[in-house]
Amino acid sequence: MAVLVLRHVIGRLLLAIPMLLAVTFGTFVLLYSIGDPAAAIAGDNASAAEIEKIRQENGFDRPIVAQYASWLGGVLTGDLGDSIRNRGTVSHLVGQHLPPTLFLAVMAMGIAILVAIIAGIVVGLRPGGWLDRIVSMLSVLGLAIPNFLVGLGLILVFAIWMPIYPAGGYRTVEEVGLGASLQYLVLPAFALATSLICLQTRTFRASLIAEYQQDYVRTARMKGVSEAGLFLRHVARNAAAPLVTVIGLEVSILITGALLVEVVFAVPGIGTLTIDSVRGQDFPVVQALVALFGAIILAANLVADLVALWLNPMARSKA
């Protein structure tokens, strides 16, 4: 099994590295073709001579490939450059905004996995019933409603009509403690988890139904294996492989959803930083965030593939 996993990791890395280079280079070309970083640094009242001087001092007059090579060399040494619109380095700026987004993403994914597993088990064990039809209808409806619209509804109900949770903002753990800090992220997490729950529920339900139609299930029942033992030892594990794959693919949904959800709830996370940086033409920050998002998505997919590989009975039999 170890050899199979190692071979899989090497193969995915050989694909992931060129993909990440292509994404970052494409973003680099796009950013520097639609805007002028020298003009953004100089300000609105700068003269053409001042802008040209800044362009030469920062190397913006060099070919785009040479600029990208310099940026990539800095990334490999841990230097992401300096922010144009904010004081300090890009690394420091990203580090300041990363904790709220990490808490939010972990909470949203945890909520989604828990609810999806429970709902998938309930409807998967009794497919075609009234509860199955209700859950299926809600899953379709949840996928159709945007996350930010769900967030506005949650604010209206749980922050205005019933003021249980804060309507927005964020306080750090150092300021108010872990529990109070997480209170600010409850509503954003549920808003972000809505589409994740729906997709995971539909996937796990379909996988469970397919597994219960397999020959080994009928054989186990004929041998007198209890339903609980059959489910826990065989069906649930085999049905979890597609769910794990979907969870890995949902990381991109999690990132894009966080962009809007953080703005709706005024959470000072990576999503808010991304939108502010795009608006302010803060090219070094946008470039670093694109690289970060790409690396996170590729890493999450790799981990999901490895877990699904471990859960796959055919893969285990080859080990």
Side-chain angles (χ1 to χ4, degrees):
M1 187 67 179
V3 175
L4 185 63
V5 170
L6 181 61
R7 188 186 308 148
H8 189 77
V9 170
I10 294 175
R12 289 301 299 268
L13 288 177
L14 291 177
L15 291 175
I17 294 175
M19 288 175 60
L20 191 58
L21 290 175
V23 169
T24 53
F25 181 71
T27 303
F28 198 90
V29 173
L30 180 63
L31 288 174
Y32 286 83
S33 63
I34 63 176
D36 187 356
I41 295 174
D44 298 331
N45 300 321
S47 63
E50 292 173 337
I51 294 175
E52 183 61 28
K53 181 180 179 182
I54 293 175
R55 185 178 291 112
Q56 294 177 359
E57 289 176 348
N58 291 272
F60 296 142
D61 57 340
R62 295 182 299 161
I64 193 69
V65 176
Q67 294 184 53
Y68 176 76
S70 298
W71 175 83
L72 185 61
V75 171
L76 295 177
T77 59
D79 181 14
L80 298 177
D82 297 322
S83 172
I84 293 176
R85 294 292 183 180
N86 301 276
R87 294 182 178 179
T89 64
V90 174
S91 301
H92 179 70
L93 190 63
V94 172
Q96 283 183 322
H97 290 78
L98 191 59
T101 301
L102 287 179
F103 284 134
L104 176 60
V106 171
M107 287 180 64
M109 187 59 78
I111 292 170
I113 293 174
L114 179 62
V115 175
I117 289 177
I118 295 174
I121 291 173
V122 170
V123 301
L125 295 179
R126 287 181 173 82
W130 62 272
L131 189 59
D132 184 11
R133 290 193 291 270
I134 291 176
V135 171
S136 298
M137 181 182 66
L138 291 177
S139 297
V140 174
L141 183 63
L143 289 172
I145 300 177
N147 289 327
F148 72 90
L149 192 59
V150 175
L152 293 175
L154 292 175
I155 291 174
L156 182 64
V157 175
F158 295 104
I160 297 178
W161 292 350
M162 295 183 294
I164 302 175
Y165 297 103
Y170 179 73
R171 302 290 296 276
T172 65
V173 177
E174 292 77 11
E175 291 175 329
V176 296
L178 180 60
S181 178
L182 294 179
Q183 288 284 318
Y184 288 89
L185 300 178
V186 172
L187 296 184
F190 272 98
L192 190 55
T194 302
S195 58
L196 308 181
I197 292 173
C198 298
L199 186 56
Q200 290 179 24
T201 300
R202 291 170 63 85
T203 301
F204 194 44
R205 169 191 174 275
S207 185
L208 283 173
I209 293 174
E211 284 300 319
Y212 270 108
Q213 295 175 350
Q214 299 297 318
D215 292 337
Y216 76 86
V217 173
R218 290 189 288 270
T219 303
R221 284 171 173 167
M222 291 175 60
K223 291 182 178 181
V225 178
S226 65
E227 288 296 327
L230 176 63
F231 177 79
L232 294 174
R233 295 177 184 176
H234 304 286
V235 175
R237 179 168 181 171
N238 295 337
L243 177 62
V244 171
T245 302
V246 167
I247 291 173
L249 296 175
E250 282 183 334
V251 173
S252 59
I253 301 176
L254 196 66
I255 292 175
T256 55
L259 297 179
L260 295 178
V261 169
E262 287 185 0
V263 172
V264 170
F265 287 91
V267 177
I270 293 296
T272 303
L273 176 63
T274 302
I275 294 179
D276 291 342
S277 299
V278 171
R279 288 174 177 172
Q281 294 187 342
D282 199 341
F283 298 150
V285 176
V286 175
Q287 183 69 19
L289 291 174
V290 169
L292 176 63
F293 294 156
I296 291 174
I297 292 173
L298 292 174
N301 289 333
L302 175 60
V303 173
D305 283 349
L306 292 177
V307 175
L309 186 69
W310 176 70
L311 291 171
N312 191 333
M314 295 182 63
R316 295 197 302 270
S317 64
K318 295 177 181 179

